[in-house]
Amino acid sequence: MIDDIKKAIAPYQQRLLEHPLYIHITSPEDLRIFMEHHVYAVWDFMSLLKSLQMGLTSTSIPWKPVGNPEVRYLINEIVLAEETDINMLGERQSHFEMYLDAMHKAGARTQEAIRLVHSDFSKMSYAEAFVAQPKSVAQFLHFTFDTIETKELHKIAAAFTFGREDLIPAMFTAIIEKVQMHFPESDLEAFKYYFDRHIELDEDEHGPMALQMIVQLCDNDAAKWQDVQDTATEALKARITLWDGILSAIQKTR
């Protein structure tokens, strides 16, 4: 079934790997625009991950074993790496915080992203919180949080796996290969470090384990497998829309 899903979503993945956005990031201003949009994908990834952790492991007191131990290990392993990885200075830091540091070094604005992250979502809806974001960013975030709100773990896992973990190594490699042609190595150091860490972790460890999580969650349930394919497709479409929005924002500055 995994092979069938990969075949079905391959055209959307290919559109992302060949997206014209990458060759248009040719100046410091272009890079800042990219980062000021992409930071939200770095942030909402953590919400996908934490929703899986809450659903697939024990996060309440008193503790009790929940679900499949292999799936528990996968989720806790990814949480460990995402929340407390090693940054360029050899210090513990989340990938979101690494990305904010890379934005600071590039001169990108971080205030709006930080404001959104620290919003009180008990007092506002996602629609109210996302209204200030560019349309493509808001659309991307709505897809993520609408998926989380279903509380259907196989759908959340589909967005997480096929929209992120299984996609990121090839997509981030495509971005780095195109972008670094236009910048000195020193200017991309922090940006490239974040991307390289994700490529390394997802390609070697997290991606294959996430696929196994899908197998465990769906088992022989044909309806769940169809949900996974549908959600994976929509996740990739949402990313394409985000990339289209960033490209449009870059082109408007010229």
Side-chain angles (χ1 to χ4, degrees), residues 41-221:
V42 179
W43 169 61
D44 77 341
F45 168 85
M46 288 303 301
S47 292
L48 282 171
L49 175 58
K50 298 300 280 189
S51 66
L52 287 171
Q53 187 181 39
M54 288 187 289
L56 296 171
T57 73
S58 180
T59 57
S60 59
I61 304 298
W63 177 90
K64 62 181 177 182
V66 173
N68 185 293
E70 291 295 326
V71 174
R72 294 200 301 261
Y73 172 79
L74 161 67
I75 293 302
N76 288 328
E77 169 73 15
I78 298 177
V79 168
L80 180 66
E82 290 292 333
E83 287 192 322
T84 55
D85 201 6
I86 299 293
N87 67 14
M88 290 176 59
L89 302 177
E91 302 166 339
R92 293 289 175 187
Q93 196 175 40
S94 72
H95 283 193
F96 177 73
E97 290 163 314
M98 285 185 202
Y99 202 82
L100 290 180
D101 284 351
M103 291 179 71
H104 283 302
K105 288 181 173 63
R109 295 169 296 181
T110 61
Q111 297 93 328
E112 179 58 29
I114 292 171
R115 181 203 64 76
L116 179 60
V117 170
H118 292 284
S119 296
D120 186 349
F121 287 95
S122 68
K123 296 180 179 179
M124 67 174 75
S125 67
Y126 291 131
E128 291 170 323
F130 301 156
V131 71
Q133 308 308 319
K135 185 177 180 180
S136 60
V137 170
Q139 174 269 341
F140 187 83
L141 292 173
H142 276 300
F143 169 77
T144 296
F145 286 94
D146 285 349
T147 302
I148 291 171
E149 287 292 292
T150 68
K151 300 188 186 304
E152 296 185 73
L153 293 173
H154 65 291
K155 292 182 180 180
I156 300 169
F160 177 81
T161 300
F162 294 106
R164 311 296 176 109
E165 297 293 84
D166 189 57
L167 170 70
I168 280 174
M171 184 175 67
F172 279 12
T173 298
I175 294 172
I176 288 296
E177 285 179 350
K178 298 294 192 301
V179 171
Q180 67 185 1
M181 293 189 299
H182 303 287
F183 294 85
E185 184 72 23
S186 58
D187 288 358
L188 288 178
E189 187 178 23
F191 178 78
K192 189 172 183 296
Y193 182 86
Y194 165 83
F195 276 64
D196 285 346
R197 282 299 292 158
H198 259 288
I199 292 168
E200 177 184 359
L201 290 170
D202 293 346
E203 191 169 48
D204 296 339
E205 302 174 35
H206 297 166
M209 287 193 290
L211 291 172
Q212 186 57 38
M213 173 178 62
I214 294 288
V215 173
Q216 295 281 351
L217 288 172
C218 293
D219 197 19
N220 294 316
D221 190 325

